[in-house]
Amino acid sequence: MSENKEIILSVKDLEIQFTLRGQTLTAIRGISMDLYKGESLAIVGESGSGKSVFTKSFMGMLDKNGKVTGGEILYKGRDLAKYKTQKEWLGIRGKEIAMVFQDPMTSLNPLKTVGKQIQEAIVLHQGLKGPEAKERAIEYLKDVGIPDPERRYKQYPHEFSGGMRQRAVIATAMACNPEILICDEPTTALDVTIQAQIIELLRDMQRKYDLTIIYITHDLGVVAKVADRVAVMYAGDIIEVGTAYEVFYNAQHPYTWALLSSLPQLGIKGEPLYSIKGTPPNLFKEIKGDAYAPRNPYALNIDHEIRPPYFDVSPTHKVRSWLQDPRAPKAEPPKTIQRMLDRWKEVYTNE
Amino acid sequence: MSSENIQREKLLEVKDLWVSFGKGRKKFQAIKGVSFDIYKGETFGLVGESGSGKTTIGRAIIRINPVEKGEIIFKGKRISGKIDKETNKELIRNIQMIFQDPMASLNERAKVDYIVSEGLYNIHGFTDEADRQAKVRKAMMDVGLPPEFATRFPHEFSGGQRQRIGIARTLIMNPELVIADEPISALDVSIRAQVLNLLMDLQRQYGLTYLFIAHDLSIMRFITNRLAVIYKGQIVELGETEKVFQHALHPYTKALISAIPQPDPLSERNRTVLQYDPSVHDYTVDKPVWTEIEEGHWVLANEAEQAAYRAEIQENL
């Protein structure tokens, strides 16, 4: 997916800190990552791993006590990490990068009709006015699969069901005409059957408007469905990134192993699931070595001392783990991971 | 957990259960004639979308929602409608519930010690203070929390630990049936595995019977022995979990199963999601009945559909 692909957004050694009661918390600890035009990148990780903070920094939406303390976010020749004022951000937010949030109940204004909210974005970002803007808003409602758009245009969010509301939120985002769409847990609050529909809708929108989409989610089922590439985050760092096939069938980082092995879908009935021991590290303190080392049954001595660099498993697959070092002893991945690899081999030898 | 080892002794019987909310024109029929049995020692799953009535059934069993019609029988004794004080007390001890959101279900102003033993106070379930403390200690250790934590307040715990407290307070009552209403959906992925493992361990250790209520079918497949699928207040299909997954008959079950995302890109990319269209059923003349279509496999269908399902079963053999 990434070969000969145009880079649309490039993050270099990004560090983000928050000040809380006089203490400093490092939420993002030096992430470098490229986003390719037209791709779907999924960012996965536990809550607190920094996946939301990371993407919010692309839109200048960090909380007041948080700021970018190092690194660059390069987008169309501009460094977003240097942006300070709201005025600067207005050129990016919505217009270039838009966001769809988890809970459609809270991301729409309950006091305004759905149509007006979409129209607002059209007026602001597409320069249309009056009846033209209204017509376009109705078009967008139709576009995202809302039946009877003329009537729906005049309704308030509370008159919409959860799935329809999420569709309306997507319409609002589309009305801004963005290049990049960030979807933060877009389906978590919805029923399974509705989930599938929303995912399908997002894929349609991606094809139609040539969008680049970042999915933030902890649902690895959704990731398997939509992602071209997957980035796994742990304690404010991307510890493994690769194509979806590489990360699901040939995972290399022990944390990714643990994450996959703890899924009931991949477990064997009647046998206990793998569960990660301990708790994530305290980000108020400086982390020495690999952040996952204290919980990692595969940890080497060096993991507790020196932070591993990225090792290239393939041109598209990078892993931050000392196990990749040629001098490291060979680690036997858990059974679930081996089964995933076997499945991959099975499919490919048959074809 | 394997189904062969389960003694087929009925612990709970739900017979033609109807539950409604509101009166007159505002009446909403939440449950429309639901029947199922739960056998001792098994994990019985109730799966459905939000608003389907799965929680209402759980709450009707523990007498929070009044039963409009039908009856619920626990260990051969009717527990719905008017019951005497003694039965009620017995029931409180024997049927316990674990709730979804561990952040909302614990009293913020009480210490864990009190939260865990609150149920015991209500039924005078201890002889003296030392006995109570010993029981709290044991319950805490059973769920994998250090007993010293009993002096702390809920806000000092993480989500996973709070859910363990929620489990400890049901366990201390020494129940036979535990109703777990979405016990892991509010938890982080890695914590889910811990809580699922704990629930399975406790089942083995104490021979507990679970009624597991959830919307997530993939977790249901992993943890339940038998599964009932509920749609708009009616159970449309019930059977051994694997059977339901591999040879679902009702179109709604099929649609639901087709919608589960699997953490497996190879199969995900070719997956087609089926849509359930209730108008496929023509129930104008030929009314649907709750039928045992093959041994242990129940489905809601009319005469014509039953014939079609039987043919489908023959084909699958």
Side-chain angles (χ1 to χ4, degrees):
Chain A
M1 203 51 208
S2 57
E3 284 166 63
N4 310 321
K5 272 262 170 183
E6 185 191 334
I7 293 174
I8 187 166
L9 182 106
S10 179
V11 180
K12 296 219 156 72
D13 212 19
L14 186 73
E15 187 185 79
I16 297 172
Q17 292 188 325
F18 286 85
T19 324
L20 269 172
R21 294 182 218 100
Q23 282 182 297
T24 312
L25 177 150
T26 313
I28 299 298
R29 304 181 303 121
I31 292 183
S32 300
M33 184 204 78
D34 289 331
L35 184 67
Y36 301 103
K37 190 164 170 50
E39 75 165 343
S40 299
L41 172 77
I43 301 181
V44 299
E46 290 172 74
S47 40
S49 59
K51 49 192 198 301
S52 287
V53 169
F54 180 51
T55 47
K56 274 182 178 171
S57 70
F58 306 164
M59 298 178 69
M61 287 188 7
L62 294 175
D63 288 342
K64 279 201 185 90
N65 59 345
K67 63 170 190 288
V68 176
T69 47
E72 298 173 326
I73 305 169
L74 300 172
Y75 177 76
K76 289 191 177 169
R78 289 170 276 182
D79 182 6
L80 306 185
K82 296 212 165 53
Y83 279 23
K84 291 275 175 327
T85 62
Q86 289 300 319
K87 208 179 154 195
E88 284 172 304
W89 279 114
L90 282 180
I92 294 292
R93 241 179 248 158
K95 202 172 249 121
E96 302 287 343
I97 306 175
M99 199 155 182
V100 171
F101 294 95
Q102 171 173 0
D103 189 357
M105 199 63 197
T106 49
S107 42
L108 289 169
N109 183 344
L111 301 176
K112 275 188 179 165
T113 64
V114 169
K116 279 272 185 267
Q117 296 185 48
I118 298 171
Q119 201 168 326
E120 222 170 53
I122 293 169
V123 171
L124 202 63
H125 295 289
Q126 301 189 11
L128 294 175
K129 281 203 186 81
E132 263 186 334
K134 181 178 173 183
E135 205 173 291
R136 183 64 64 85
I138 291 171
E139 253 169 55
Y140 274 113
L141 281 172
K142 208 161 127 194
D143 220 18
V144 295
I146 295 180
D148 200 0
E150 281 86 5
R151 189 174 60 87
R152 290 298 203 167
Y153 174 89
K154 291 182 224 128
Q155 288 186 333
Y156 288 89
H158 74 264
E159 295 174 83
F160 280 56
S161 68
M164 284 297 151
R165 236 178 259 144
Q166 195 62 301
R167 284 175 192 269
V169 173
I170 293 168
T172 323
M174 289 296 97
C176 305
N177 222 346
E179 293 271 336
I180 301 174
L181 185 67
I182 301 172
C183 300
D184 192 348
E185 304 274 5
T187 60
T188 310
L190 306 170
D191 276 325
V192 259
T193 46
I194 312 291
Q195 256 183 29
Q197 292 170 17
I198 296 293
I199 293 293
E200 215 36 66
L201 172 66
L202 283 168
R203 283 158 63 99
D204 285 348
M205 292 292 118
Q206 179 166 32
R207 275 189 289 266
K208 188 162 176 188
Y209 296 101
D210 196 18
L211 278 173
T212 307
I213 302 188
I214 302 177
Y215 289 93
I216 304 171
T217 180
H218 64 261
D219 187 337
L220 286 160
V222 171
V223 174
K225 175 95 189 163
V226 299
D228 300 317
R229 288 197 307 142
V230 181
V232 184
M233 282 190 75
Y234 184 75
D237 191 10
I238 292 178
I239 50 102
E240 179 157 9
V241 60
T243 66
Y245 294 113
E246 286 167 336
V247 173
F248 276 95
Y249 301 113
N250 191 26
Q252 296 293 327
H253 198 286
Y255 178 68
T256 317
W257 292 348
L259 212 54
L260 286 168
S261 310
S262 67
L263 293 174
Q265 291 98 313
L266 301 180
I268 290 174
K269 208 165 176 163
E271 284 179 21
L273 289 169
Y274 180 82
S275 67
I276 307 174
K277 310 283 174 298
T279 48
N282 182 350
L283 295 173
F284 282 110
K285 296 199 183 110
E286 204 191 320
I287 293 168
K288 204 175 161 197
D290 184 346
Y292 185 57
R295 306 170 79 185
N296 183 2
Y298 298 92
L300 309 169
N301 287 337
I302 192 170
D303 274 317
H304 297 278
E305 300 297 329
I306 303 165
R307 188 178 184 183
Y310 282 114
F311 289 90
D312 288 330
V313 182
S314 80
T316 48
H317 190 182
K318 285 196 291 183
V319 184
R320 227 193 232 288
S321 161
W322 282 117
L323 287 179
Q324 295 299 316
D325 194 281
R327 288 162 292 176
K330 188 111 182 68
E332 181 97 334
K335 284 211 180 67
T336 315
I337 302 301
Q338 287 175 16
R339 278 201 299 275
M340 291 299 273
L341 185 61
D342 290 344
R343 168 152 168 69
W344 171 257
K345 283 181 185 157
E346 187 191 316
V347 168
Y348 273 77
T349 44
N350 286 348
E351 270 176 20
Chain B
M1 292 281 286
S2 73
S3 46
E4 302 90 72
N5 300 340
I6 292 166
Q7 311 142 18
R8 298 300 235 183
E9 179 194 330
K10 283 178 190 169
L11 186 68
L12 186 89
E13 295 161 70
V14 175
K15 290 183 177 164
D16 192 29
L17 176 74
W18 292 71
V19 179
S20 63
F21 297 105
K23 277 201 183 86
R25 278 201 302 143
K26 281 190 179 161
K27 181 170 159 176
F28 174 71
Q29 194 69 49
I31 303 298
K32 304 164 196 161
V34 155
S35 307
F36 61 91
D37 298 330
I38 298 180
Y39 298 111
K40 196 168 166 49
E42 77 169 341
T43 302
F44 184 88
L46 205 52
V47 70
E49 296 183 46
S50 45
S52 60
K54 52 192 192 301
T55 298
T56 306
I57 294 177
R59 289 165 66 99
I61 294 169
I62 53 168
R63 300 176 58 80
I64 298 176
N65 291 335
V67 172
E68 188 187 12
K69 218 173 90 189
E71 56 182 10
I72 301 170
I73 293 162
F74 182 69
K75 291 170 87 178
K77 215 171 179 181
R78 185 176 56 86
I79 58 166
S80 54
K82 272 205 166 64
I83 55 171
D84 59 61
K85 228 175 159 183
E86 218 26 63
T87 318
N88 194 30
K89 197 173 147 185
E90 185 63 9
L91 204 64
I92 291 172
R93 195 189 67 71
N94 261 328
I95 306 181
Q96 282 287 309
M97 198 152 177
I98 301 169
F99 296 94
Q100 171 172 7
D101 187 356
M103 292 301 173
S105 57
L106 301 178
N107 182 350
E108 286 294 332
R109 303 180 58 165
K111 283 184 182 159
V112 170
D113 179 58
Y114 175 77
I115 292 174
V116 172
S117 51
E118 191 170 22
L120 285 183
Y121 283 110
N122 290 338
I123 59 159
H124 308 289
F126 51 93
T127 48
D128 54 16
E129 179 60 15
D131 181 38
R132 188 190 64 85
Q133 279 179 9
K135 281 187 165 145
V136 172
R137 247 186 115 72
K138 177 154 190 307
M140 297 281 284
M141 295 209 299
D142 277 342
V143 298
L145 288 173
E148 304 84 72
F149 282 11
T151 55
R152 299 189 183 178
F153 288 96
H155 69 85
E156 298 175 68
F157 295 92
S158 67
Q161 286 174 321
R162 277 165 169 253
Q163 198 55 298
R164 284 173 194 266
I165 297 171
I167 297 169
R169 75 171 164 186
T170 65
L171 222 51
I172 202 167
M173 305 295 280
N174 212 355
E176 288 187 57
L177 176 66
V178 174
I179 301 173
D181 192 354
E182 302 271 10
I184 59 167
S185 30
L187 305 173
D188 226 332
V189 228
S190 61
I191 314 290
R192 285 182 179 186
Q194 291 177 13
V195 173
L196 280 182
N197 285 345
L198 173 66
L199 288 172
M200 291 194 291
D201 281 349
L202 293 172
Q203 181 168 47
R204 258 189 295 263
Q205 205 175 336
Y206 294 108
L208 295 175
T209 306
Y210 288 132
L211 169 57
F212 211 92
I213 300 170
H215 69 279
D216 189 335
L217 268 167
S218 51
I219 285 161
M220 286 302 209
R221 184 174 199 170
F222 181 74
I223 197 157
T224 64
N225 303 115
R226 290 193 309 136
L227 187 65
V229 181
I230 180 165
Y231 176 73
K232 290 195 174 163
Q234 284 182 305
I235 294 182
V236 295
E237 188 157 2
L238 186 160
E240 300 270 332
T241 304
E242 273 314 302
K243 182 131 224 166
V244 172
F245 268 88
Q246 280 167 14
H247 303 297
L249 292 171
H250 198 278
Y252 178 68
T253 318
K254 286 181 178 167
L256 209 55
I257 291 170
S258 79
I260 328 169
Q262 289 295 330
D264 181 356
L266 286 170
S267 60
E268 265 310 294
R269 314 242 150 154
N270 304 319
R271 185 167 60 96
T272 40
V273 176
L274 304 171
Q275 295 285 340
Y276 175 57
D277 178 9
S279 66
V280 297
H281 308 288
D282 181 14
Y283 289 158
T284 41
V285 190
D286 194 358
K287 298 280 179 218
V289 276
W290 186 227
T291 332
E292 189 167 14
I293 197 94
E294 60 183 321
E295 204 196 337
H297 191 173
W298 296 70
V299 65
L300 186 71
N302 63 16
E303 295 282 344
E305 285 170 335
Q306 284 173 33
Y309 292 159
R310 287 211 175 84
E312 208 176 316
I313 291 167
Q314 283 305 317
E315 238 170 76
N316 287 336
L317 280 179

